[in-house]
Amino acid sequence: MKKPATLLICTILFLLNLACLAGQVTLNEADIAIARKDYRRALEICSYLEKESGSTPELSLRKGIIEAAMSNFPSALAYLLEAEKGGAGSITSGLLIAECHEALGDIKSASARYEELIRTDRSNLYVINSYARMLISNRMYSDAIKWCQLLVDSVPGNPVFRKNLGGCFIQEGMDESALIHLRESWNMNDRDLNVLVSLTNTWLRLKIPAAGIPVTTEAILTHIGNPIPYRCHGNLLFALQQFEASATAYLEAYNLGDTSVTVARQLGFSYFASNQFREAIPYLMIYYRSDTANYEASYYLGVAMSAWRMKNEGIEMLRRTIDLMTPDSVRIGAIHASIGQAYSDQNLYPKAIESYRNALRYAPGEPDYLIGMARVYDGNKNLSEALEYYEAYDAHQNEMIRRLAASGNISPDSFVLSFQHQQARERIKKIKEELFLMGDIKKINS
């Protein structure tokens, strides 16, 4: 069981107060042994004294301190309560009693003891901070806010008090309030990178990542050689969809020693989003190997491989992804389309056609799959089928333009066609001309 954090400080305070009492030679010897952490010797002295003079509140007090130091909290609590009952109690013994209750899992009794101590002396910030610490440690954030706020009001310039209050606000979903105090804590102490991490997460939750860029940029310069500011900087840039810049930041973090799966994943995604598939593959592989049953990892790795020069490996990975997934028509359709593109890149048109057909079964009418199928048939010189899918794609895009124009009360002719749509229309025109010359008028929409 974990020893209370303030136990040593409490013990020192006891010894400073008690060592000065006149006529307590043997007790002073016990106090010296306690200060030296020679608890066996301290207990021997207390046992000897008890045999000589009987039990006293002062002896119970020492035994309570010793037992608490040895993590024997039930015995420590019994001795401390006995000493308090006999008149040897104080704020410091009360703190130890509260911490013993906490260590034994009796948070209710510990809270009652802390609040009693605070009522006795509301100016004792040490007691208030100890109570707040206990509440935070036990995830009682809503209760902790009151006392953390009191600490901030009492000492506004303490960065730790600000940090703790901000952390409680985060846990209660009060991100705007959290941001205020975390920002103040960082301004007071920009060496605490845990605050920078909390700030970054708060900017992301509030969807204001741009607000943090100046802070993380400065932190990179302040903490030269530390990967944390680079990782935070990368997270903000990634949220801003500045993927090449986020890749640079994540790569710095990785090279500086943060080789965690999270950084590898984000680095791989950044390269992927900026179409740098060769660079993405090694880091997506790290992500995949961390959990080979993770269909997200296998999906992005498979797409990256198939988009690069690892077509067969990518197809195998994408097929494995389908096996890993629960039925999800949208994602499975996208996987089949990626497989179709990989086959098309290898001029394996029958397999590409089969894959695009599978994609369209999961997502009928999906324009990306229609244009993909059209290009496969086009590459395979199967012009009639290519024309059919090009025209289906063109009809879909024209309908979308019509709806957008109607919703905005503007003319459809004012829309600028995408490059892909323009290409599709050009191929429709040329294929019709070729089919006409070939005499295959059945496929011509005149």
Side-chain angles (χ1 to χ4, degrees):
M1 189 176 295
K2 187 178 179 180
K3 194 179 296 181
T6 59
L7 183 58
L8 181 58
I9 297 175
C10 292
T11 302
I12 293 171
L13 290 174
F14 266 120
L15 298 180
L16 290 174
N17 288 329
L18 298 175
C20 298
L21 298 176
Q24 299 294 326
V25 177
T26 52
L27 281 179
N28 285 345
E29 291 177 359
D31 293 340
I32 292 170
I34 293 171
R36 292 174 175 172
K37 299 184 181 181
D38 188 354
Y39 303 122
R40 184 189 298 269
R41 174 60 180 160
L43 279 176
E44 289 176 354
I45 294 171
C46 290
S47 297
Y48 174 79
L49 186 60
E50 188 174 18
K51 289 180 182 178
E52 290 292 312
S53 310
S55 179
T56 65
E58 288 75 16
L59 271 175
S60 296
L61 183 59
R62 266 63 172 198
K63 286 185 176 181
I65 295 172
I66 295 167
E67 295 290 351
M70 297 173 68
S71 299
N72 298 324
F73 298 112
S75 299
L77 183 58
Y79 282 125
L80 291 167
L81 290 173
E82 184 179 336
E84 187 176 64
K85 185 177 180 180
S90 67
I91 289 180
T92 312
S93 66
L95 270 171
L96 269 179
I97 290 171
E99 291 181 349
C100 286
H101 280 307
E102 179 188 357
L104 293 171
D106 188 353
I107 304 302
K108 183 177 180 180
S109 295
S111 297
R113 174 64 64 160
Y114 275 121
E115 295 197 17
E116 179 185 337
L117 292 170
I118 293 171
R119 283 194 298 271
T120 302
D121 183 5
R122 197 174 178 83
S123 66
N124 193 326
L125 299 184
Y126 182 81
V127 175
I128 297 171
N129 190 47
S130 296
Y131 186 24
R133 174 203 55 78
M134 184 199 77
L135 294 171
I136 292 171
S137 296
N138 287 276
R139 301 183 179 182
M140 300 171 67
Y141 303 109
S142 60
D143 295 326
I145 285 175
K146 172 183 177 181
W147 306 108
C148 288
Q149 184 68 65
L150 179 57
L151 291 168
V152 168
D153 293 342
S154 301
V155 190
N158 187 306
V160 176
F161 293 166
R162 293 274 188 178
K163 172 185 175 181
N164 290 341
L165 179 57
C168 289
F169 280 133
I170 285 176
Q171 296 298 328
E172 290 299 299
M174 303 167 67
D175 289 323
E176 292 85 356
S177 298
L179 187 60
I180 293 170
H181 294 286
L182 291 173
R183 195 70 177 88
E184 287 295 323
S185 179
W186 178 255
N187 289 340
M188 296 170 193
N189 177 22
D190 63 3
R191 297 186 301 277
D192 190 346
L193 290 174
N194 289 325
V195 175
L196 183 64
V197 173
S198 296
L199 271 172
T200 300
N201 293 334
T202 306
W203 284 316
L204 292 173
R205 284 193 302 274
L206 289 172
K207 298 182 180 180
I208 52 171
I213 294 296
V215 180
T216 54
T217 300
E218 183 177 351
I220 287 171
L221 298 175
T222 304
H223 297 268
I224 296 174
N226 194 306
I228 293 176
Y230 282 107
R231 187 180 72 228
C232 293
H233 196 56
N235 289 344
L236 297 176
L237 291 168
F238 191 89
L240 291 167
Q241 297 186 15
Q242 297 179 22
F243 299 118
E244 290 188 9
S246 68
T248 299
Y250 287 130
L251 183 59
E252 287 289 345
Y254 191 89
N255 289 337
L256 287 171
D258 188 348
T259 56
S260 63
V261 173
T262 300
V263 168
R265 172 184 180 272
Q266 290 304 110
L267 180 52
F269 281 178
S270 295
Y271 280 134
F272 185 98
S274 54
N275 295 322
Q276 299 181 70
F277 300 115
R278 181 183 63 178
E279 291 79 5
I281 289 170
Y283 300 102
L284 292 174
M285 182 65 78
I286 293 171
Y287 178 38
Y288 170 72
R289 286 174 176 168
S290 71
D291 181 5
T292 56
N294 182 345
Y295 71 81
E296 180 189 66
S298 62
Y299 171 72
Y300 282 100
L301 178 58
V303 172
M305 285 177 166
S306 62
W308 182 236
R309 299 173 182 172
M310 303 172 69
K311 306 295 181 182
N312 293 332
E313 295 92 332
I315 290 169
E316 180 182 350
M317 186 64 65
L318 289 170
R319 292 195 183 283
R320 187 177 306 168
T321 303
I322 294 174
D323 295 336
L324 291 172
M325 294 178 66
T326 55
D328 178 342
S329 60
V330 176
R331 181 58 66 87
I332 292 180
I335 294 171
H336 281 297
S338 295
I339 293 173
Q341 183 62 56
Y343 279 134
S344 178
D345 291 342
Q346 300 176 84
N347 299 325
L348 300 173
Y349 297 116
K351 290 185 177 181
I353 290 168
E354 180 186 0
S355 297
Y356 274 113
R357 281 179 178 163
N358 288 332
L360 286 166
R361 274 198 289 269
Y362 282 98
E366 168 60 42
D368 287 342
Y369 307 163
L370 292 173
I371 192 68
M373 181 72 97
R375 287 169 175 166
V376 171
Y377 276 124
D378 204 354
N380 198 33
K381 306 301 182 184
N382 197 329
L383 299 183
S384 298
E385 284 76 5
L387 178 62
E388 179 181 342
Y389 283 98
Y390 276 129
E391 288 185 329
Y393 172 79
D394 182 49
H396 180 282
Q397 297 303 94
N398 290 339
E399 177 62 18
M400 183 180 68
I401 290 172
R402 187 192 65 77
R403 290 180 181 178
L404 290 173
S407 65
N409 196 25
I410 56 178
S411 171
D413 295 332
S414 64
F415 280 79
V416 177
L417 300 184
S418 69
F419 179 71
Q420 184 167 266
H421 195 180
Q422 291 178 35
Q423 281 190 321
R425 285 193 172 181
E426 289 174 3
R427 285 303 298 154
I428 289 172
K429 181 179 178 181
K430 290 182 179 180
I431 289 174
K432 283 185 175 182
E433 292 174 353
E434 291 183 43
L435 288 174
F436 179 78
L437 293 174
M438 293 166 57
D440 191 355
I441 60 174
K442 293 181 181 180
K443 292 294 182 179
I444 300 176
N445 296 322
S446 56

